[in-house]
C-alpha cells in the first residue's frame, strides 16, 4: 500500500524532457512508482488532473540558515514553501554560522546580524555542530550547507584588512578541509563585503584548494558587477581552473546601466572557460533589483575592524567627510584588495535614488522603509550619504536595502532576459526574510515569476526548461543525485502547480503577497502545502555531502 498517490498529473520530470501524463506513487518518503496506478493501492490520493507535477523547487542561493535555527522558522519562512521550494542551499555570499572562534565571535555576530530573525544561541563551533543543532530541532526544508570564506577569515584574522600571511592561509585551508569533512557541499565567498573584500586571489586559491578532494564547489558573489565585472569574473574562473574545482558564479548580473552591455562579454568568458575544461555555471535572481545590507555602500577601509569601528568612524566629523568623498568619487578598479581600492561602489553604480530602505530594527525609523535615499534626504534635509550614515549609527548597522539597476531597471529587463534564458542559468531567490521590514519580492515570487512571466508569458523557454532550471540543474551542481527529478527511487520532493495561473502577485514596493498557482508541496513524502493550506510540518532534512 502506497502512502500517497498523485493521480492524473502532467509530469514534468526535471530533466527538461517533454511532459507526459501519469501517476506518481509515494511510500516511505520516496517515489515508489510512476505510471498508471490504481487509486485503491494508496492510503491517500491527490487529484492532479489539469495540474503540473514537478520536482520540488531548489533555491540554489539562500540565506535562510540564520533563520532555520529559530523555532519559529516554519512561519517566518512560509513564503518560500508557498512558492514551491523544498530544498535550500545555504551559506552563500561569504556568510555562514560557522566556523566559530570564541575570540572573534562578537565580530561574527555583528557580521551576520542582518540575516538573523533573533539572536542565535551560538551553541556550536563548527559546521558539524551547527548542522546537528538544526537536525535535532527539526527543519521545514531540506538544507544543503556551504561553509563561508567570510566566517573562516573572521575566525583566523577577524576584520583586519590586508593580505593573509602564509600561516593564516594554511589555517583557513585547514578550516575549509574540516568543514568539507563534516559534510558541507562547498565554500562561498562574498567579495564585495568585508572581510572577503580584503582577500587577494592567492588567498582564495589557497582556501579553496581542499575542495577538490571532496568534490566541493566554489561559489562566489564576485568582487563587483560594474567597473570590475569582467576582471572579477576572470578571478573566480582562475580559482576554479587552478584548483580543478567546480565554480558557481552567484547571481550573475551587470549593475548600473552603463555596464549592462558587458553581459554578452561575461557570458563569453564563461563559454571560453568551459571550452578549456573549467566547470563553471551560474545562477540568477529573476529581478532587476537586489537586496543586501546598507553596509555595502561604504568603502573597504571604513569597515576594517567590523561594524563597531565603522560606526565610530561615522561619528567622527572629519573621518565621516573622508568616507563621504570616497563614496561619491571613487571609481572601482583592479586589483581591488590594495589599500584605498574598492571592488564595487554600489552607490555610484546604482545612484542614490535607486537605493531603497526595506528594513530597519527600530520603531523610530520605520517610516523610512519603502523610500529611497534621495526621498529621505529631501524629507530630512540631509544628503543621501548622511541619511545612510545616520541610519547605520542609529540601527547599529542592521539596515537592509533594495538596490535597483541589476541587468535592467523599471523601464526594461532585456539584460536580465538574456541571462535567465541562458541554458546554464539556474534560478535562485537570494531573498532575506527575518520577520522584519519589507522583504525582496523574490521571497514570495521568484519561482512562480519564472514559470509565469518568463516562461509562459514571454516564451523565453519552455515550461520543462523552466523546471529544469529550478530543480535538477541546481542539485546536480552540488552532486545531490537522489533528489530533483520525478524518478523512481528518488526522494519525494514534489511541487504541483497550475501552469495557466502560476505567477507572482507582489511588487518591489509591495512584495508581501503570496503567489498564485502553487497548489501542493510535498517534502520527503509528506505534504506541507495541500490545496493552498500550509501545515508547518518539520519534514525537511539536513543534507550532507558524501565523499
Amino acid at each position: 500500500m502506497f502512502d500517497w498517490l498523485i493521480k492524473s498529473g502532467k509530469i514534468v520530470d526535471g530533466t527538461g524532457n517533454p511532459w507526459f501524463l501519469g501517476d506518481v506513487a509515494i511510500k516511505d518518503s520516496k517515489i515508489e512508482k510512476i505510471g498508471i496506478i490504481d487509486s485503491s493501492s494508496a492510503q491517500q490520493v491527490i487529484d492532479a488532473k489539469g495540474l503540473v507535477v514537478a520536482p520540488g523547487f531548489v533555491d540554489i542561493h539562500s540565506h535562510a540558515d540564520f533563520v532555520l535555527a529559530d523555532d519559529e522558522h516554519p512561519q517566518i519562512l512560509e513564503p518560500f514553501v508557498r512558492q514551491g521550494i523544498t530544498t535550500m542551499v545555504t551559506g552563500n555570499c561569504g556568510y555562514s554560522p560557522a566556523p566559530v572562534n570564541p575570540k572573534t565571535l562578537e565580530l561574527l555576530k555583528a557580521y551576520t546580524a542582518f540575516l538573523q530573525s533573533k539572536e542565535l544561541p551560538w551553541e556550536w563551533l563548527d559546521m558539524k555542530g551547527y548542522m546537528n543543532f538544526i537536525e535535532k530541532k527539526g527543519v521545514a526544508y531540506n538544507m544543503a550547507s556551504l561553509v563561508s570564506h567570510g566566517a573562516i577569515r573572521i575566525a583566523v584574522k577577524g576584520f583586519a584588512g590586508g593580505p593573509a600571511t602564509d600561516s593564516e592561509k594554511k589555517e583557513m585551508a585547514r578550516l575549509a578541509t574540516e568543514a568539507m569533512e563534516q559534510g558541507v557541499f562547498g565554500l562561498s565567498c562574498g567579495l564585495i563585503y568585508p572581510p572577503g573584500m580584503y582577500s587577494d586571489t592567492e588567498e582564495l586559491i589557497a582556501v579553496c584548494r581542499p575542495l577538490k578532494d571532496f568534490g566541493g564547489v566554489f561559489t562566489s558573489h564576485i568582487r563587483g558587477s560594474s567597473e570590475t565585472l569582467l576582471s572579477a569574473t576572470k578571478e573566480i574562473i582562475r580559482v576554479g581552473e587552478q584548483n580543478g574545482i567546480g565554480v558557481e558564479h552567484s547571481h550573475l548580473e551587470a549593475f548600473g546601466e552603463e555596464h549592462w552591455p558587458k553581459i554578452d562579454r561575461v557570458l563569453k568568458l564563461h563559454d571560453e572557460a568551459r571550452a578549456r575544461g573549467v566547470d563553471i555555471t551560474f545562477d540568477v535572481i529573476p529581478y532587476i533589483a537586489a537586496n543586501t545590507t546598507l553596509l555595502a555602500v561604504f568603502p573597504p577601509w571604513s569597515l576594517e575592524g567590523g561594524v563597531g569601528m565603522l560606526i565610530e568612524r561615522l561619528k567622527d566629523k572629519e573621518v565621516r567627510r573622508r568616507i563621504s568623498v570616497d563614496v561619491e568619487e571613487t571609481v572601482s578598479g583592479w586589483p581591488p584588495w590594495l589599500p584605498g581600492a574598492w571592488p564595487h561602489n554600489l552607490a555610484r553604480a546604482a545612484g542614490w535614488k535607486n537605493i531603497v530602505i526595506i528594513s530597519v530594527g527600530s520603531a523610530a525609523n520605520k517610516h523610512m522603509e519603502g523610500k529611497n535615499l534621495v526621498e529621505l534626504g529631501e524629507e530630512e534635509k540631509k544628503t543621501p550619504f548622511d541619511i545612510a550614515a545616520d541610519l547605520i549609527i542609529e540601527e547599529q548597522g542592521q539596515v537592509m536595502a533594495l538596490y535597483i539597476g541589476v541587468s535592467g531597471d523599471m523601464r526594461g529587463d532585456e539584460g536580465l532576459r538574456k541571462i535567465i534564458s541562458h541554458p546554464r542559468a539556474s534560478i535562485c531567490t537570494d531573498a532575506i526574510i527575518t520577520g522584519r521590514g519589507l522583504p525582496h519580492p523574490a521571497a514570495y515570487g521568484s519561482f512562480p515569476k519564472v514559470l509565469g512571466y518568463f516562461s509562459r508569458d514571454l516564451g523565453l523557454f519552455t515550461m520543462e526548461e523552466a523546471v529544469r532550471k529550478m530543480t535538477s540543474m541546481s542539485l546536480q551542481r552540488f552532486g545531490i543525485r537522489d533528489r530533483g527529478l520525478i524518478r523512481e527511487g528518488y526522494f519525494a520532493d514534489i511541487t504541483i502547480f497550475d501552469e495557466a495561473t502560476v505567477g507572482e502577485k507582489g511588487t518591489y514596493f509591495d512584495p508581501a503577497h503570496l503567489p498564485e498557482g502553487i497548489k501542493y508541496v510535498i517534502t520527503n513524502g509528506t505534504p506541507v502545502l495541500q490545496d493552498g493550506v500550509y501545515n508547518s510540518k518539520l519534514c525537511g532534512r539536513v543534507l550532507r555531502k558524501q565523499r
Side-chain angles (χ1 to χ4, degrees):
M1 182 70 71
F2 303 120
D3 299 328
W4 288 89
L5 178 63
I6 302 169
K7 190 72 179 169
S8 305
K10 180 185 285 188
I11 298 174
V12 176
D13 66 4
T15 63
N17 289 335
W19 62 265
F20 60 95
L21 295 175
D23 309 330
V24 179
I26 299 169
K27 185 176 177 60
D28 297 331
S29 78
K30 292 192 174 183
I31 297 171
E32 184 81 7
K33 186 177 180 182
I34 301 169
I36 305 301
I37 305 167
D38 194 315
S39 296
S40 64
S41 64
Q43 296 181 34
Q44 300 184 77
V45 177
I46 294 173
D47 181 6
K49 187 174 182 180
L51 300 175
V52 174
V53 179
F57 302 152
V58 179
D59 188 357
I60 193 174
H61 191 101
S62 169
H63 291 286
D65 30 351
F66 294 88
V67 180
L68 291 172
D70 189 329
D71 290 339
E72 297 179 2
H73 79 266
Q75 292 73 43
I76 297 170
L77 301 178
E78 179 180 346
F80 288 123
V81 75
R82 289 281 189 172
Q83 59 171 300
I85 295 170
T86 59
T87 300
M88 297 173 168
V89 179
T90 61
N92 286 285
C93 288
Y95 293 95
S96 65
V100 174
N101 179 346
K103 295 179 180 178
T104 58
L105 176 56
E106 292 306 313
L107 292 173
L108 182 61
K109 286 181 179 181
Y111 176 60
T112 60
F114 76 101
L115 297 169
Q116 300 175 34
S117 53
K118 66 180 183 182
E119 174 65 28
L120 296 183
W122 300 102
E123 295 179 11
W124 53 82
L125 293 176
D126 54 20
M127 288 302 296
K128 178 182 179 181
Y130 165 74
M131 292 189 286
N132 287 347
F133 177 86
I134 297 294
E135 201 164 50
K136 184 177 180 180
K137 288 173 67 67
V139 63
Y141 299 84
N142 300 316
M143 181 185 78
S145 296
L146 306 171
V147 70
S148 73
H149 170 249
I152 287 174
R153 200 176 209 266
I154 290 171
V156 173
K157 198 174 172 62
F159 266 86
T165 64
D166 288 344
S167 62
E168 287 170 338
K169 291 176 189 175
K170 185 175 181 180
E171 177 61 9
M172 290 182 199
R174 186 192 70 79
L175 290 172
T177 300
E178 179 179 82
M180 292 301 305
E181 289 172 343
Q182 293 171 349
V184 304
F185 289 82
L187 180 144
S188 82
C189 285
L191 301 177
I192 72 162
Y193 307 113
M197 63 169 58
Y198 304 135
S199 63
D200 57 20
T201 308
E202 295 307 316
E203 178 179 323
L204 300 181
I205 291 170
V207 76
C208 289
R209 191 166 292 126
L211 271 58
K212 183 174 183 179
D213 290 339
F214 299 87
V217 177
F218 168 54
T219 81
S220 184
H221 184 148
I222 62 174
R223 301 272 182 192
S225 302
S226 51
E227 287 88 355
T228 61
L229 174 58
L230 300 178
S231 296
T233 301
K234 291 175 183 177
E235 179 182 40
I236 63 168
I237 290 171
R238 181 184 166 199
V239 173
E241 191 163 22
Q242 194 153 329
N243 283 321
I245 57 176
V247 179
E248 181 74 7
H249 185 156
S250 295
H251 43 66
L252 189 150
E253 62 200 16
F255 211 119
E257 185 170 3
E258 66 181 293
H259 303 292
W260 298 342
K262 295 177 182 176
I263 290 172
D264 287 330
R265 293 157 69 188
V266 169
L267 294 174
K268 184 178 180 182
L269 286 176
H270 276 244
D271 292 340
E272 291 170 348
R274 288 193 68 86
R276 297 197 306 272
V278 182
D279 179 12
I280 184 168
T281 55
F282 61 91
D283 47 74
V284 58
I285 311 163
Y287 294 88
I288 51 81
N291 68 158
T292 191
T293 172
L294 189 61
L295 295 169
V297 304
F298 297 97
W301 66 266
S302 70
L303 287 152
E304 286 191 29
V307 177
M309 289 300 297
L310 170 67
I311 291 171
E312 291 306 309
R313 290 176 180 121
L314 291 173
K315 289 179 179 179
D316 183 307
K317 186 178 295 186
E318 179 56 30
V319 179
R320 180 179 178 126
R321 188 193 66 79
R322 286 177 51 209
I323 295 173
S324 174
V325 169
D326 271 10
V327 172
E328 298 291 352
E329 297 182 1
T330 299
V331 177
S332 300
W334 200 269
W337 52 80
L338 298 179
W342 195 351
H344 192 28
N345 186 337
L346 274 173
R348 186 180 184 281
W352 293 116
K353 72 179 186 300
N354 289 318
I355 302 176
V356 180
I357 303 302
I358 59 175
S359 175
V360 297
S362 73
N365 291 319
K366 281 290 179 185
H367 69 281
M368 295 187 172
E369 292 178 350
K371 297 179 180 179
N372 69 53
L373 292 177
V374 171
E375 290 176 305
L376 291 170
E378 292 171 351
E379 288 179 10
E380 304 281 336
K381 293 183 171 49
K382 298 178 181 178
T383 67
F385 171 82
D386 283 329
I387 290 288
D390 289 343
L391 260 178
I392 291 298
I393 294 170
E394 293 167 22
E395 301 292 336
Q396 292 297 295
Q398 296 189 46
V399 185
M400 285 290 295
L402 192 70
Y403 297 81
I404 299 169
V406 181
S407 310
D409 60 15
M410 297 301 186
R411 298 167 298 169
D413 61 0
E414 287 75 15
L416 175 58
R417 294 184 193 187
K418 183 174 293 186
I419 295 170
I420 205 167
S421 60
H422 193 284
R424 290 196 297 276
S426 56
I427 307 303
C428 71
T429 72
D430 191 28
I432 297 164
I433 307 180
T434 62
R436 300 185 302 271
L438 296 173
H440 190 289
Y444 283 78
S446 193
F447 291 89
K449 180 178 182 179
V450 171
L451 291 166
Y453 173 66
F454 287 106
S455 177
R456 182 192 61 227
D457 300 343
L458 294 182
L460 294 184
F461 36 76
T462 65
M463 177 182 59
E464 291 91 340
E465 175 66 2
V467 169
R468 183 186 74 88
K469 287 173 173 290
M470 5 172 119
T471 58
S472 64
M473 183 179 181
S474 296
L475 293 181
Q476 177 181 296
R477 170 76 287 184
F478 294 101
I480 301 171
R481 294 181 171 82
D482 51 5
R483 298 176 187 272
L485 296 172
I486 302 294
R487 180 171 290 177
E488 291 177 4
Y490 273 48
F491 281 95
D493 298 332
I494 296 172
T495 294
I496 303 174
F497 63 90
D498 182 343
E499 64 180 309
T501 63
V502 67
E504 68 166 349
K505 294 186 70 176
T507 67
Y508 290 102
F509 304 108
D510 186 21
H513 293 277
L514 297 174
E516 291 185 297
I518 305 296
K519 302 296 185 181
Y520 296 86
V521 177
I522 298 169
T523 304
N524 295 307
T526 299
V528 292
L529 186 73
Q530 293 180 263
D531 203 19
V533 178
Y534 177 53
N535 59 29
S536 302
K537 290 185 177 179
L538 300 176
C539 49
R541 298 188 182 181
V542 176
L543 309 181
R544 291 176 173 83
K545 176 79 171 175
Q546 301 300 311
R547 188 169 182 179

